[in-house]
Amino acid sequence: MLPSGSTPTPTGWVRLYPINYRDLATDDHFAKYDIVSVDAKPARQDQRRESWKPIIDTMVREAHLPPWQKRRQLLDPHIEDSMCRLNRQVRDQPNAPSLALIRPARIDDLVVTPGRPWSPSEQRKIDTYVNQFDLLNDRKRTPLEAPRFKATYHYRCDDPQCKGHQQGVLDWELVGVPAQTT
Ligand SMILES: [Zn+2]
C-alpha cells in the first residue's frame, strides 16, 4: 500500500512482484507494516492494474508503523464490505480492482489442514531458480520449502445475496516454515 504521508498523495493497493525476499541482504529485509519507497515499472506479464515490477536496488525502508492507530489511518479508507460486488466487477470489467481489504459480515470458519509437498513442476521451477548463476549476486540461493499448512477463511460478506466465500491465506508467517534462529 502507498502511504499518504503529509502531502495528499493518493493511496491504494499495489502488488509488487517479484521480490526474492530471501535473496535480499539482511539489511534490506522489511517487515509487515514497514513503509518502504521503491521505484517500479508496470508489470508486463500481469495486466492487473495494481501489478508493478519493483526495481529492488531502489528499495529503502523509511519507517515502521506501530500498532494500530497509524495503520488504521491508512487502512480504514480502503475497507470494502462486499466481496460479492468485487467479484461481479471483476467478471464484468477487465480493469476492475483485483486487490481489496474486506471486512467480513460474519466469519464462519478458519480451516487449517496439513500442507502438501511441491508438485514436480513446482519443484522443477524452484530447482531451476536455485541453480541459476547470477553474475550480480553471489549469495547462495536457498530453496523455498513447501508450506506446512493450508489455511482457508470461510466467511460471508455484507451483500444480502451472499452465499459465502472461501479464501486461502497466503501469509507465510502462518503457513510457512519457521525461520532458522542462530
Ligand atoms: Zn459475498
Side-chain angles (χ1 to χ4, degrees), residues 81-85 87 155-159 161-165:
D81 288 330
S82 175
M83 185 67 191
C84 286
R85 187 180 64 246
N87 282 340
Y155 67 93
R156 280 168 206 274
C157 75
D158 203 36
D159 192 293
Q161 309 296 323
C162 186
K163 293 186 168 63
H165 305 278

Side-chain angles (χ1 to χ4, degrees), residues 72-83:
R72 294 205 62 155
Q73 285 171 8
L74 285 170
L75 295 171
D76 282 356
H78 297 280
I79 291 176
E80 303 272 356
D81 288 330
S82 175
M83 185 67 191

